[in-house]
Amino acid sequence: MILAFVAVIAVFLVVPLRRALISARIFKAFRRALPSMSQTERDALEAGTVWWEGQLFGGRPNWRRLAAYPWPTLSAEEQAFLDQDTDELCRLVQDWEATRQQDMPAPVWQFIKDRGFLGMIIPREYGGKGFSAYAHSQVITKLSTRSSAPAVTVMVPNSLGPAELLLHYGTPEQKQHYLPRLARGQEIPAFALTSPWAGSDAASIPDAGVVCKGSWQGREVLGMRVSFDKRYITLAPVCTVFGLAFRLYDPDRLLGGESDLGITCALVPHDHPGVEIGRRHFPLNAVWMNGPIRGQDVFMPLEFIIGGPKMAGQGWRMLMECLAAGRSISLPGSNTGMQKLTARAVGAYARVRYQFKTAIGRFEGVEEALTRIGANTYLCDAARIMTAGAIDLGEKPSVVSAIVKYHVTERARQTVNDGMDVIGGKGICLGPQNFLGRAYQQIPVGITVEGANILTRSLILFGQGAIRCHPYVLDEMHAAQQGNLQAFDRAFWGHVGYTVSSGVRAAVMGLTGSHFVSVPADVAPETRRYYQQLTRFSAAFAFIADISMGTLGGALKRKEKLSARLGDILSLMYLASATLKRYEAEGRQAADAPLMHWAIWDCMFRAQNAFEGVIANFPNRFFAMVLRRLVVFPLGRPYVVPSDRLGHDVARLLIEPSATRDRLTADVHLPTDVEEPLGALEAALLATVAAEPIEAKVKQAQRAGRFQFVAAADGGVDALWRQAFEAGVIDADEFALLQRRGVLRDKVIRVDDFPLDFGLKASLCDGAALREAA
C-alpha cells in the first residue's frame, strides 16, 4: 500500500514522468477541445493590458496595490481649460435651438476648433494640448451635462480615430502632415468601421480592397482599389479626413506576402475621387453629425495606409490596442455627465415641486428613485475616474474598458429613466424648459455604439476576461497552439494548484463569514467588512470560473447566459473596488458615506444574485451542489437589498444644498440665468429651503386661529401667504421671500407650448423670404 502511494506521488512529483504519463494525454485532449480561433479573435483577446481586474479574477486581490494607485488630478492648465474654455462652450450651446436647426451654430463650431477641443490628446510638439486621459474625461463629462452635440463632437476626435492611430502607428510624414492640422481644427476627423453587414461583429467587415497599380497625381503607383459601405459614422457629414477599415487582398503578391493580408486602416481625404460622403443619419433626434460613407472601386495609393505599406493587414490589432483607451473615456464620461445632470436637476425639482402639500422628494416612492439616482451617479463617477487614471498610468485595460462601457451606460439608462419618472409630465413635453427629455431620447445611443451592450455582457466581459485575466489560461492556450508540451505541463499543473487553492480559500472564508480575512489596517473602519467580503467573493469567483471552464470547455463560449452572469460578478467587484477607492481618495467624507454604502451594498447584492444564477443553471448538478453548499454559500446568502433607512439618507442628500451634493454633481454646468431651466432650478431650490420655515410658521398660525384663510377666485396657489402677511403673521421680507419662491417654482414646473403647426409655416415663410432677398 505504501509503495503504491509512493509510486502515485512520484508520478506527479517527477516532472518527466508526469509529463509523459499524464500531461501528454491531457495535452492531446486540451488541443482537441480548444475552440478554433481566427487571427482577428486572437488579436482581440490578446490586445491591451491586464490591470486591477486581474487581481479580482485571480482570487487574491492585493488591496494595498489598489490603495497605491494614484487618484487622478488635473494640472493647472487642464483645470483652467475645464473652468474657462469648457464652461464657455457650454454657455454658447443652447440645446433646444441646436435641435431646431439640427446643428450647432457656426460660431460654436469655430470656438471648438480655435480653442483646441479637437486636439486634446495630440502632443504639444504637434500643436495639441497634450492633456491627460482624466482631463479628456472631465471635459466630456462636463459638456454632456449641457448637450450631447458638443460632447460627441469633441469626444470622437479624441478617442478612437485618426489622431489616436496616427500617434501610435503613423509614419513620420503622416504625423507631421495631419497631427498639427487636426490639433488646429483645420481637419475634422471621423473613423469608418461599422458596416451594414457587420455591426458588433466588426471583424467580419465585407469592405475590401485589392492591391493593384493605378494612376495617382499623374503617375502610375502601387495602390489599392477599395469598395466600402459604412454607416453610423460620427462626424462623417462634416469630416475632412476619415480613417477607413477594410480587408486588403493581394492576389498577385505585389507586396510579396500572403494573398489575404487582413484588415487594414487607411486615412482618406473626404474629397478623394470616388468617395460618397455628406448625407446624414437621424439618430434619435440627436444634433451631432452622423452619417454614411461609401465608395466603389476607389483607387488609393499605399501611402494612405496608416503606418505605410508595412502596416497592411495590421489594422485589427491597431484598432484593438487603441480601442481600450477611447472606450474607457468617451462613453463613461458622457453617460456619467448625464447622470450628474439628472442627480442635480431632479433632486432640486423633487424639493421644489409639491403635491399633496408635500415636496415630492419626501414621498418614499420618489425616494426610491432618488436613491438609485444618487448612488448610481456616485458609483459610475468612481469607475469613470479610476479607469481614466489607469489610462494615464500607461494601461490599455481592454476588459475594464468593456466593464465601464457596459455598466456605466446601463446605470445611466436606469438613472435617466428614474429621473423621468420623478419629473413626470414635465419630462415628456420637449422644449427649451425640458432639462431631461433630450438625454432620455439619446440614452439608447450609448447602449448601442462601440459594441451592443447585450453582446458586450454575454460575449466579452467573461469571455475575454477569462483568457486575459486568468493567470494560466492564456499560457495553456499558447502552449497548445504551439504544440509545446513542456510549457503546457508547467501552466496546467500551476492551474490545478491555483484552482484547488481558490476552492479551499473560498470554502474557509465562506464557513467563517470572511471575518478572519486580512485586509490593510489603514482602510476606513466602516468599509473593512466590504474588503473582506470582496476578497471572499473574488476567491469564490476564481473557483467557479475554473470549474466552469474545466467542465464545459469550449462549450462555455456558447453558454452566453452563464458567461454573462460570470461577467457580472467580475464587473460588480470592479465597480465596488472603484467605489471604495473613491471614498478613500476623497478623504472618507462622512457625509458622503450613505452614497458609498448603498452603492457597494447594491453591487454585492447583485454579485450574489449572479453567483446564484450561475449555480442554479450550471449544467453539472453535482458541481452545482458543491459550489452552493461548500464554496459560495455555505452559511447562506449574506446580502439583502440595501435598507430603506440607508436609501432615505441617500435621497435626502439630493434634495437639499450641501457639500455632498456639490461633490456628487461636480462638473455640471450651472447657468446663473433663471430663464434657463437649470438656473431656475438652482435658484428655486435655495428659495424653497429658505421659505419652508416661513411656510411652517404660517400654517402653525393658521391652526392656532391667528387668521382665517379665505379662498378667493383670483387668489391662486399663493393666496395664503398674502393673507398671512396682511394679518401680520409674517413681515414684508418674509412675504417677499415667499413671493420669490412662488415665481421661481412656477418657472421650474412650467412646460413649453407651441403654435398649432409648431411654427413650421412661419419657418418656411422666413426661409422663402431669405432666399428671395439673396
Side-chain angles (χ1 to χ4, degrees):
M1 180 67 72
I2 294 176
L3 289 175
F5 178 75
V6 170
V8 171
I9 294 298
V11 170
F12 286 93
L13 294 183
V14 179
V15 175
L17 197 60
R18 180 188 71 201
R19 193 180 300 154
L21 297 179
I22 302 176
S23 299
R25 296 169 184 256
I26 298 173
F27 185 53
K28 290 180 181 178
F30 187 89
R31 296 188 72 182
R32 286 196 301 270
L34 192 66
S36 60
M37 189 180 302
S38 67
Q39 184 60 46
T40 51
E41 286 181 304
R42 188 174 294 112
D43 288 343
L45 287 171
E46 297 180 2
T49 60
V50 176
W51 190 54
W52 177 247
E53 75 280 20
Q55 291 280 313
L56 296 170
F57 202 107
R60 294 176 178 268
N62 184 341
W63 298 111
R64 292 195 181 280
R65 178 176 294 185
L66 179 67
Y69 293 139
W71 193 246
T73 58
L74 297 176
S75 68
E77 181 186 1
E78 290 169 340
Q79 188 67 59
F81 187 82
L82 185 69
D83 294 340
Q84 298 167 22
D85 298 78
T86 308
D87 209 55
E88 177 65 9
L89 177 53
C90 287
R91 190 190 65 78
L92 289 172
V93 175
Q94 300 293 327
D95 193 65
W96 180 249
E97 290 305 312
T99 300
R100 291 180 63 200
Q101 298 172 23
Q102 280 301 300
D103 195 3
M104 296 182 294
V108 175
W109 275 101
Q110 198 60 47
F111 185 88
I112 288 172
K113 297 174 184 178
D114 291 344
R115 298 301 177 94
F117 280 93
L118 302 182
M120 291 190 296
I121 67 167
I122 296 175
R124 296 176 187 277
E125 63 189 277
Y126 296 107
K129 296 287 185 185
F131 280 175
S132 64
Y134 176 54
H136 175 196
S137 179
Q138 289 291 89
V139 170
I140 298 305
T141 299
K142 187 164 196 171
L143 291 175
S144 299
T145 69
R146 181 65 166 173
S147 169
S148 66
V152 174
T153 300
V154 168
M155 78 186 190
V156 167
N158 288 287
S159 56
L160 179 61
E164 178 84 5
L165 293 170
L166 284 170
L167 282 170
H168 291 283
Y169 309 105
T171 65
E173 295 77 16
Q174 289 172 337
K175 292 179 181 179
Q176 289 295 337
H177 177 77
Y178 278 112
L179 290 177
R181 297 169 64 84
L182 288 166
R184 291 192 299 267
Q186 286 180 264
E187 302 279 8
I188 298 177
F191 192 83
L193 173 61
T194 305
S195 159
W197 302 276
S200 294
D201 184 16
S204 298
I205 52 176
D207 312 281
V210 177
V211 178
C212 61
K213 291 184 179 180
S215 177
W216 171 246
Q217 296 181 339
R219 57 192 179 91
E220 187 179 69
V221 299
L222 195 60
M224 313 164 286
R225 195 163 295 282
V226 188
S227 295
F228 49 94
D229 187 350
K230 304 291 189 178
R231 63 180 181 182
Y232 309 148
I233 311 306
T234 304
L235 295 185
V238 295
C239 76
T240 60
V241 63
F242 61 91
L244 176 67
F246 58 95
R247 195 166 199 93
L248 184 60
Y249 297 91
D250 186 10
D252 297 328
R253 310 292 175 96
L254 297 176
L255 297 181
E258 299 291 328
S259 59
D260 183 355
L261 297 175
I263 293 176
T264 300
C265 292
L267 202 55
V268 186
H270 76 291
D271 56 358
H272 186 72
V275 171
E276 300 173 28
I277 197 169
R279 294 181 66 81
R280 292 181 70 172
H281 297 312
F282 199 27
L284 295 176
N285 204 31
V287 173
W288 40 270
M289 293 292 174
N290 188 278
I293 301 179
R294 303 183 178 99
Q296 186 68 32
D297 291 329
V298 178
F299 182 78
M300 307 174 188
L302 290 179
E303 65 190 57
F304 277 20
I305 296 175
I306 296 175
K310 71 178 186 299
M311 296 303 291
Q314 301 300 309
W316 191 245
R317 177 170 287 277
M318 292 160 60
L319 292 172
M320 290 300 98
E321 289 177 350
C322 289
L323 179 63
R327 207 179 192 196
S328 298
I329 296 168
S330 297
L331 289 173
S334 60
N335 281 263
T336 300
M338 285 190 281
Q339 291 187 79
K340 289 190 173 195
L341 168 66
T342 305
R344 186 88 186 187
V346 173
Y349 186 89
R351 184 68 172 269
V352 172
R353 178 64 159 154
Y354 272 55
Q355 295 283 271
F356 307 103
K357 301 180 180 179
T358 305
I360 62 172
R362 300 193 188 281
F363 290 102
E364 286 197 357
V366 174
E367 270 193 353
E368 194 171 13
L370 291 174
T371 298
R372 288 192 295 268
I373 291 171
N376 278 334
T377 301
Y378 184 87
L379 177 145
C380 290
D381 205 24
R384 172 188 73 89
I385 295 172
M386 189 168 103
T387 306
I391 304 299
D392 286 328
L393 292 174
E395 301 288 346
K396 295 181 179 179
S398 53
V399 176
V400 162
S401 72
I403 288 173
V404 292
K405 188 274 178 183
Y406 173 79
H407 284 276
V408 173
T409 57
E410 286 294 340
R411 287 179 184 253
R413 170 154 60 181
Q414 176 73 71
T415 295
V416 174
N417 281 347
D418 281 332
M420 289 289 285
D421 286 348
V422 172
I423 64 177
K426 168 81 174 180
I428 64 173
C429 294
L430 287 177
Q433 299 306 313
N434 190 330
F435 55 83
L436 200 57
R438 304 286 288 128
Y440 179 77
Q441 280 184 302
Q442 293 167 35
I443 272 289
V445 174
I447 303 295
T448 302
V449 300
E450 293 191 14
N453 274 9
I454 288 177
L455 296 184
T456 298
R457 176 174 177 258
S458 59
L459 296 178
I460 296 177
L461 293 180
F462 181 75
Q464 188 170 7
I467 296 174
R468 290 311 316 277
C469 300
H470 196 285
Y472 295 103
V473 167
L474 191 59
D475 290 340
E476 290 169 333
M477 291 177 63
H478 282 158
Q481 290 161 355
Q482 296 164 5
N484 189 333
L485 175 59
Q486 183 176 351
F488 178 83
D489 175 82
R490 185 167 53 251
F492 178 79
W493 292 106
H495 190 162
V496 170
Y498 161 82
T499 302
V500 173
S501 173
S502 296
V504 171
R505 290 179 64 249
V508 171
M509 285 187 276
L511 288 167
T512 59
S514 71
H515 285 283
F516 302 103
V517 174
S518 176
V519 296
D522 56 352
V523 302
E526 61 270 29
T527 64
R528 182 176 179 79
R529 285 294 292 148
Y530 297 139
Y531 287 97
Q532 291 180 322
Q533 291 280 34
L534 275 170
T535 301
R536 172 198 165 185
F537 274 23
S538 176
F541 171 77
F543 184 69
I544 201 170
D546 269 339
I547 294 299
S548 299
M549 289 186 285
T551 58
L552 296 175
L556 183 57
K557 187 176 180 179
R558 298 184 295 275
K559 294 285 185 181
E560 294 177 16
K561 296 174 186 176
L562 204 65
S563 178
R565 295 182 183 109
L566 289 166
D568 288 343
I569 300 168
L570 178 62
S571 300
L572 291 161
M573 290 192 296
Y574 180 81
L575 297 177
S577 300
T579 303
L580 288 169
K581 176 67 176 175
R582 173 181 184 170
Y583 186 69
E584 290 287 347
E586 293 183 347
R588 304 178 184 177
Q589 299 286 343
D592 299 1
L595 295 162
M596 177 273 294
H597 285 302
W598 201 97
I600 293 182
W601 199 273
D602 179 64
C603 282
M604 300 300 280
F605 178 67
R606 292 190 191 205
Q608 180 179 269
N609 287 344
F611 271 119
E612 184 61 49
V614 172
I615 295 169
N617 293 279
F618 205 77
N620 187 308
R621 300 316 301 160
F622 171 76
F623 279 117
M625 182 273 293
V626 170
L627 290 169
R628 176 180 285 112
R629 299 294 176 85
L630 300 180
V631 179
V632 183
F633 299 126
L635 299 181
R637 294 163 50 129
Y639 282 92
V640 294
V641 294
S643 72
D644 289 344
R645 177 177 294 180
L646 180 59
H648 168 77
D649 292 340
V650 172
R652 182 175 51 82
L653 293 172
L654 267 62
I655 66 172
E656 57 189 43
S658 68
T660 292
R661 182 170 179 266
D662 291 340
R663 280 190 293 271
L664 179 66
T665 60
D667 308 317
V668 174
H669 173 71
L670 296 175
T672 56
D673 184 358
V674 296
E675 293 305 314
E676 292 215 29
L678 199 54
L681 273 165
E682 288 292 299
L685 175 62
L686 296 176
T688 298
V689 171
E692 283 176 349
I694 305 171
E695 293 176 355
K697 182 169 76 170
V698 170
K699 291 175 181 178
Q700 184 178 6
Q702 183 185 15
R703 287 193 297 269
R706 290 182 57 190
F707 77 102
Q708 184 175 2
F709 172 60
V710 179
D714 60 348
V717 295
D718 294 324
L720 177 64
W721 321 126
R722 174 169 294 280
Q723 293 183 27
F725 170 60
E726 292 171 349
V729 173
I730 55 176
D731 61 28
D733 290 340
E734 291 172 320
F735 180 52
L737 197 156
L738 289 172
Q739 285 183 305
R740 173 171 168 74
R741 187 256 177 168
V743 169
L744 291 169
R745 175 206 60 213
D746 292 346
K747 286 182 180 294
V748 164
I749 65 175
R750 69 184 174 183
V751 297
D752 300 286
D753 49 63
F754 303 93
L756 186 63
D757 67 345
F758 292 99
L760 292 175
K761 182 178 180 181
S763 176
L764 291 171
C765 290
D766 288 346
L770 286 172
R771 286 192 295 274
E772 289 175 10

